[in-house]
């Protein structure tokens, strides 16, 4: 008897929905084993990271605050991934969005008015789009791989941030710390629910996900993006230009990453600091795939990944878990998601070896055939 994978006649919708759940469960089990082998209490680590924040009402606020930028960035990335445009530069676009909005804030420190924050947000979106426009230009004009070009720009963005924090934008009244001046009240993101940490960026993230879902499923533009991703030749015969789709996918992804950047700078941070890059741009890739590139699924996936940040911080103080624990769980989640995705197009079967008593093949159904 031997195990083998047999191609399905068509992708299994049931496994498409079950794979993220299987990936999360496998992450919890294997994570507990790994940290136990490393000398920690593995079960307690999983409990502190994935369970404790769910039953602490104060931690729910942190979950929503951290899930918002993940959902915004992942929504933009999912649009590009649907078109087979692989934007890996969301981290740099997130930084540039924060920097662009901060630039406006520093120019208007002595200005009061309701218009200041909207201008900062517009600058953040534009900054992310400009940074994403570089790989879009290289892809459409020189056929440069957008994965490499967008990824390399992340490091350029980080160095630009460090330069500005230690040079031109350094607060002269900041006791020599590499940071900008604090934003004023007119430049700070309003609190959506008084007395909580829930700022305006959280409802914005939910609204953007709903809008993206509608556009991707109910508009011609969404249809064009899906067709270009699934059948490039058919899209070409249908009159859909691939170059315009590349520009659209990267600019939307960059704009939303830039939006997340300025919302974070004017919200939780309240200024620009060298610690601004938090890995949201990379984690959002996991969020997009865990949510099945569906904006509604991304909202749920963003909460799951936000757990690794909030719970990871809690586990550091309660059981002495290393700060890298959150990244380990995120990496395992992506690994198991990619592994279980194999079952969407293939089913596991048991074949009798040649020369056995019967040549027939007995199938082990992972789920009902679709």
């Amino acid at each position: 008897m031997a195990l083998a994978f047999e191609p399905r006649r068509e992708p299994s919708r049931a496994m498409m929905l079950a794979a993220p759940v299987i990936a999360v469960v496998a992450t919890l089990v294997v994570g507990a084993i790994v940290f136990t082998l490393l000398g920690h209490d593995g079960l307690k680590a999983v409990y502190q990271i994935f369970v404790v924040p769910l039953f602490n009402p104060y931690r729910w606020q942190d979950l929503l605050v951290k899930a918002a930028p993940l959902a915004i960035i992942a929504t933009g990335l999912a649009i590009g991934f649907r078109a087979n445009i692989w934007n890996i530069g969301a981290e740099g676009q997130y930084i540039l969005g924060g920097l662009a909005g901060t630039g406006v804030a520093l120019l208007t420190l002595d200005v009061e008015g309701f218009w200041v924050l909207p201008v900062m947000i517009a600058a953040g979106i534009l900054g992310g789009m400009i940074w994403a426009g570089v790989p879009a230009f290289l892809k459409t004009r020189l056929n440069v791989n957008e994965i490499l070009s967008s990824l390399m720009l992340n490091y350029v963005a980080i160095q630009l941030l460090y330069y500005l924090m230690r040079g031109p934008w350094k607060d002269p009244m900041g006791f020599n710390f590499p940071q900008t001046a604090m934003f004023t009240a007119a430049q700070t993101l309003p609190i959506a629910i008084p007395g909580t940490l829930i700022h305006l960026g959280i409802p914005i993230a939910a609204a953007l996900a709903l809008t993206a879902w509608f556009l991707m499923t109910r508009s011609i533009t969404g249809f064009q993006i899906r067709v270009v991703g699934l059948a490039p030749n058919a899209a070409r015969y249908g009159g859909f230009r691939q170059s315009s789709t590349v520009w659209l996918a990267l600019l939307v992804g960059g704009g939303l990453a830039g939006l997340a950047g300025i919302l974070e700078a004017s919200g939780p941070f309240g200024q620009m600091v060298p610690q601004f890059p938090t890995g949201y741009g990379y984690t959002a890739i996991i969020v997009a795939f865990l949510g099945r590139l569906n904006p509604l699924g991304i909202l749920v996936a963003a909460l799951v990944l936000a757990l690794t940040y909030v719970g990871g911080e809690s586990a550091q103080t309660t059981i002495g878990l290393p700060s890298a624990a959150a990244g380990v769980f995120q990496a395992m989640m992506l690994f198991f998601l990619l592994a279980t995705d194999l079952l969407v197009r293939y089913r596991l079967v048991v074949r009798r070896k040649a020369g056995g008593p019967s040549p027939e093949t007995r199938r082990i159904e992972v789920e009902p055939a679709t």
Side-chain angles (χ1 to χ4, degrees):
M1 307 292 285
L3 293 176
F5 286 101
E6 180 182 88
R8 298 180 186 271
R9 293 180 179 178
E10 59 184 26
S12 169
R13 186 173 182 83
M15 284 306 302
M16 181 79 72
L17 299 175
V21 178
I22 297 173
V24 172
V25 173
T27 298
L28 300 182
V29 174
V30 176
I33 296 173
V34 168
F35 280 99
T36 298
L37 295 176
L38 292 175
H40 299 278
D41 189 336
L43 291 177
K44 195 169 184 180
V46 170
Y47 178 78
Q48 286 289 335
I49 293 176
F50 291 95
V51 179
V52 170
L54 295 177
F55 295 94
N56 188 328
Y58 297 103
R59 286 297 186 178
W60 263 101
Q61 299 178 32
D62 291 334
L63 277 177
L64 294 175
V65 168
K66 293 188 181 299
L70 291 175
I72 293 173
I73 299 172
T75 298
L77 292 179
I79 293 174
F81 294 163
R82 284 280 188 181
N84 273 335
I85 307 300
W86 303 100
N87 178 11
I88 312 299
E91 183 75 1
Q93 294 146 22
Y94 164 85
I95 294 172
L96 259 292
L99 289 177
T102 299
V104 174
L106 295 178
L107 291 174
T108 57
L109 281 176
D110 298 325
V111 178
E112 295 291 336
F114 70 91
W115 55 270
V116 176
L117 184 60
V119 173
M120 290 172 56
I121 292 174
I125 295 173
L126 183 61
M129 292 176 69
I130 290 174
W131 209 245
V134 176
F137 175 82
L138 294 175
K139 174 72 173 179
T140 55
R141 292 300 180 90
L142 303 175
N143 199 29
V144 175
N145 188 298
E146 74 277 10
I147 297 175
L148 296 177
S149 59
S150 61
L151 177 62
M152 293 300 101
L153 284 173
N154 290 342
Y155 302 100
V156 178
I158 291 174
Q159 296 305 316
L160 177 61
L161 169 67
Y162 291 164
Y163 164 72
L164 293 174
M165 293 303 98
R166 294 179 171 88
W169 287 4
K170 187 176 180 179
D171 182 10
M173 305 299 293
F175 301 100
N176 206 34
F177 286 102
Q179 60 189 24
T180 66
M182 293 293 296
F183 293 169
T184 64
Q187 300 167 339
T188 303
L189 206 60
I191 296 296
I193 301 178
T196 70
L197 300 175
I198 300 176
H199 55 69
L200 191 61
I202 295 171
I204 288 177
L208 284 173
L210 292 173
T211 303
W213 172 82
F214 179 82
L215 292 176
M216 289 298 293
T217 59
R218 299 292 188 272
S219 71
I220 295 177
T221 301
F223 175 72
Q224 173 182 341
I225 290 173
R226 297 198 308 273
V227 170
V228 170
L230 293 173
N233 292 331
R236 193 176 301 112
Y237 286 123
F240 298 148
R241 295 181 56 192
Q242 186 174 13
S243 61
S244 63
T245 305
V246 171
W247 276 100
L248 175 64
L250 285 170
L251 290 183
V252 170
L256 290 183
L259 172 62
I262 186 54
L263 291 181
E264 282 293 288
S266 61
F269 282 90
Q271 63 180 152
M272 183 57 66
V273 294
Q275 297 77 25
F276 184 70
T278 51
Y280 284 157
Y282 297 113
T283 307
I285 298 174
I286 305 176
V287 172
F289 282 105
L290 193 64
R292 286 306 184 201
L293 304 184
N294 185 310
L296 301 183
I298 283 172
L299 291 177
V300 179
L303 289 172
V304 174
L305 268 297
L307 269 176
T308 62
Y309 283 103
V310 177
E313 294 171 357
S314 175
Q316 290 180 48
T317 57
T318 55
I319 61 175
L321 212 61
S323 59
V328 172
F329 278 104
Q330 292 170 8
M332 284 194 295
M333 202 171 297
L334 178 60
F335 172 80
F336 285 118
L337 181 63
L338 295 176
T340 52
D341 266 348
L342 185 67
L343 298 176
V344 175
R345 296 185 178 276
Y346 295 85
R347 58 166 54 89
L348 190 63
V349 300
V350 174
R351 299 184 187 278
R352 294 184 183 276
K353 292 183 179 180
S358 173
E360 65 181 10
T361 297
R362 180 167 60 90
R363 294 180 178 178
I364 295 179
E365 298 289 347
V366 177
E367 49 83 26
T370 57

